[in-house]
Amino acid sequence: MELNTIERDDIGAAAENLVVPAAATRKVFVKTYGCQMNVYDSQRMTDALAADGYAATDAIGEADLVLLNTCHIREKAAEKVYSELGRIRELKAERAKTGREMLVGVAGCVAQAEGAEIIRRSPAVDLVIGPQTYHRLPGVLARARSGEKIVETDYAVEDKFEYLPQPKRAELIRRGVTAFLTVQEGCDKFCTFCVVPYTRGSEVSRPVAQIVAEAERLADAGVRELTLLGQNVNAWHGRGENGEEWGLGRLLFRLAEIPGLARLRYTTSHPRDMEDELIAAHRDLPTLMPYLHLPVQSGSDRILKAMNRRHMAKDYLTLIDRIRAARNDIALSGDFIVGFPGETEADFEATMQLVEDVNYASAFSFKYSPRPGTPGAEMSDHVPEAVKDERLQRLQALLLKQQQDFGTSLIGRTIDTLIEKPGRQAGQKVGRSPWLQPVIVDEKAGEIGDIIQVRITKTGYNSLFAELA
């Protein structure tokens, strides 16, 4: 997911058309790569900077501070960041000609992984800051403005959730009727393809009191749908208000008591952390939407073992049966990696069979790419790129058909839809279905924040069209 995306031509245009803001307030431009966690972290950074006199801007040409909030999951992630920094360097040089300062910072998982190497390779960068140290941004910027080059990536695990900024109510209202809330960070699973344990650290759960307080602030600001975030969100646990140890299921029941919150979701989950109480929440809690993102990565037991997933395909399928028995209208989403080292055609066919057996409503699929420092990068028997390409095309064709079939199955049904924002075309509004699809309705169907009943009339490529029921 990206916010404030910088295209190559946008940066060139910005260098030619620098804007000098009339107000004295400094402005910050944030480009966000990657997952919902990074989107949430970008908001954390802008909230922390607001107290330091920075206002967010969508125009890089008027920014006094440019932050790239990076992701290390995709192939050649670091090289893409360096390429972007090269373009920003030119903009910074143009800005200097006008006598105005532009600070450049790299944040997120690439920052955590690369550290001082970023400043060595890109001298235009003034600061590098890791995902757990965003609360230090104002102090870091004060040092950077004095000419010091800063690398701030060291942190104490217990400090992860101690310094989260609290944005003003007006800012929360501006963000809309849906929101993310991080409840867990880090990962202890050490899948052999993944860098998250090295860039985000070990699993840490946010305290119940903090979570409930933030959820109440969001609800008070008009948020109707709340998505709980974590690298392994269903590994969350904490001491509840009753003094007992809670898991994610019990936390969801507590959040459902907050007035105004009409919908709850959570992502991303690990199959090994789907506890009985969480499955019961899907059965008993109407506020919890019937949609679950539950990555499996492969259908081959041999590849799952090489990935250190610590479950077999049959374990995953049995879990799916239990979840569907608890909530028969639940839609499932997953993640898949094709071409992991040593993957044979038989291994890949096992993945295709698992996809057939589960029948996903949506999914994300990728070619394996080595991440430096992970065990997978050191494995032998890497799959040729051409083979990975061919397998990915076959898998994506099957997943796309399942997604389209799921959308088609909703035609004629009456469903609840949360109206979220104006549509791209005049006369339309965009809602969100219980299964996370965009729903296009007439603008007169209701106001933003309303939950209305609509009848699905047709499907688009990634969306549904509906009329008021």
Side-chain angles (χ1 to χ4, degrees):
M1 184 180 295
E2 291 192 10
L3 300 179
N4 299 344
T5 302
I6 309 172
E7 299 293 342
R8 180 185 299 269
D9 292 341
D10 293 340
I11 292 181
E16 297 170 5
N17 302 287
L18 291 174
V19 179
V20 179
T25 302
R26 297 188 182 101
K27 296 193 176 182
V28 57
F29 176 95
V30 182
K31 178 177 179 179
T32 308
Y33 303 81
C35 64
Q36 294 97 328
M37 185 75 79
N38 269 13
V39 175
Y40 181 85
D41 283 348
S42 290
Q43 290 180 347
R44 284 171 56 192
M45 286 190 282
T46 55
D47 291 341
L49 290 169
D52 197 39
Y54 281 90
T57 179
D58 292 331
I60 190 172
E62 64 181 26
D64 303 282
L65 169 63
V66 175
L67 288 172
L68 302 185
N69 189 9
T70 60
C71 175
H72 213 287
I73 296 298
R74 298 290 178 264
E75 184 177 8
K76 299 180 181 177
E79 293 307 315
K80 292 177 182 177
V81 171
Y82 289 122
S83 177
E84 192 87 314
L85 289 171
R87 296 192 287 272
I88 293 173
R89 179 191 62 209
E90 298 175 4
L91 178 57
K92 182 176 182 177
E94 290 295 323
R95 181 66 168 265
K97 294 177 183 178
T98 69
R100 297 191 61 226
E101 179 185 58
M102 173 185 279
L103 295 177
V104 178
V106 179
C109 290
V110 172
Q112 189 71 34
E114 298 277 312
E117 176 70 6
I118 294 175
I119 290 178
R120 189 190 70 80
R121 289 186 57 178
S122 299
V125 174
D126 301 288
L127 60 110
V128 176
I129 190 162
Q132 318 307 334
T133 52
Y134 296 148
H135 59 282
R136 302 176 193 164
L137 256 177
V140 167
L141 285 172
R143 291 159 59 195
R145 283 195 292 268
S146 70
E148 184 180 351
K149 298 282 188 176
I150 313 292
V151 177
E152 192 83 9
T153 55
D154 293 333
Y155 64 94
V157 170
E158 60 272 16
D159 290 347
K160 278 193 175 185
F161 297 112
E162 287 301 312
Y163 303 99
L164 293 179
Q166 295 186 12
K168 295 179 180 179
R169 186 171 184 271
E171 172 61 20
L172 294 177
I173 292 173
R174 186 188 68 80
R175 292 176 184 174
V177 297
T178 63
F180 296 130
L181 194 164
T182 292
V183 301
Q184 182 271 345
E185 281 199 32
C187 182
D188 295 339
K189 302 299 188 289
F190 287 93
C191 298
T192 56
F193 54 80
C194 186
V195 298
V196 166
Y198 311 102
T199 58
R200 290 276 182 171
S202 59
E203 291 178 0
V204 178
S205 294
R206 190 175 178 187
V208 170
Q210 280 191 23
I211 295 169
V212 172
E214 183 170 347
E216 288 175 340
R217 287 196 301 273
L218 291 167
D220 179 64
V223 168
R224 306 299 313 282
E225 178 177 301
L226 188 63
T227 301
L228 307 184
L229 298 180
Q231 268 81 36
N232 277 333
V233 67
N234 56 343
W236 179 90
H237 63 278
R239 189 70 59 187
E241 295 162 328
N242 59 1
E244 298 176 357
E245 186 76 6
W246 287 6
L248 186 65
R250 182 66 189 87
L251 177 65
L252 287 163
F253 276 99
R254 173 64 182 88
L255 295 176
E257 298 172 1
I258 296 174
L261 284 184
R263 290 178 161 193
L264 294 170
R265 304 181 188 272
Y266 63 92
T267 194
T268 292
S269 302
H270 194 287
R272 295 183 64 247
D273 293 317
M274 287 296 300
E275 297 178 346
D276 293 344
E277 191 174 25
L278 183 53
I279 296 174
H282 282 282
R283 180 192 65 210
D284 300 333
L285 193 57
T287 311
L288 182 56
M289 292 295 95
Y291 178 88
L292 175 61
H293 184 64
L294 192 62
V296 63
Q297 308 301 353
S298 174
S300 162
D301 288 342
R302 196 176 68 84
I303 296 301
L304 288 170
K305 183 177 180 180
M307 289 177 167
N308 194 36
R309 292 290 290 175
R310 290 184 281 180
H311 63 77
M312 294 189 293
K314 69 177 182 180
D315 301 326
Y316 182 83
L317 293 171
T318 298
L319 177 59
I320 295 300
D321 288 342
R322 291 180 58 209
I323 293 167
R324 281 181 164 152
R327 184 77 189 257
N328 60 13
D329 66 338
I330 199 163
L332 291 162
S333 173
D335 288 348
F336 295 91
I337 295 173
V338 302
F340 189 78
E343 183 187 72
T344 65
E345 182 64 21
D347 294 322
F348 175 71
E349 287 298 338
T351 297
M352 295 287 281
Q353 185 59 57
L354 183 141
V355 172
E356 291 275 13
D357 292 341
V358 173
N359 192 18
Y360 290 91
S362 64
F364 303 92
S365 52
F366 311 97
K367 294 186 298 181
Y368 172 75
S369 58
R371 292 292 173 268
T374 61
E378 305 301 321
M379 291 180 179
S380 59
D381 200 15
H382 282 256
V383 178
E385 285 298 314
V387 175
K388 288 194 281 189
D389 288 337
E390 189 271 337
R391 289 176 184 171
L392 183 64
Q393 290 177 22
R394 286 159 57 193
L395 175 61
Q396 289 183 338
L398 175 58
L399 291 169
L400 178 60
K401 181 181 184 303
Q402 291 185 349
Q403 176 183 321
Q404 292 173 338
D405 288 347
F406 178 72
T408 301
S409 74
L410 298 176
I411 294 176
R413 287 185 56 180
T414 298
I415 67 170
D416 288 340
T417 296
L418 169 64
I419 300 181
E420 189 175 0
K421 57 188 177 182
R424 291 184 178 180
Q425 297 184 15
Q428 293 180 341
K429 283 193 174 85
V430 179
R432 185 179 292 195
S433 82
W435 305 283
L436 211 56
Q437 305 118 308
V439 182
I440 313 301
V441 297
D442 187 275
E443 65 177 352
K444 298 178 182 178
E447 300 301 319
I448 291 173
D450 289 346
I451 296 178
I452 61 174
Q453 284 203 321
V454 298
R455 184 177 299 106
I456 305 303
T457 57
K458 64 178 181 177
T459 66
Y461 184 75
N462 283 313
S463 58
L464 305 172
F465 292 82
E467 61 187 11
L468 195 63

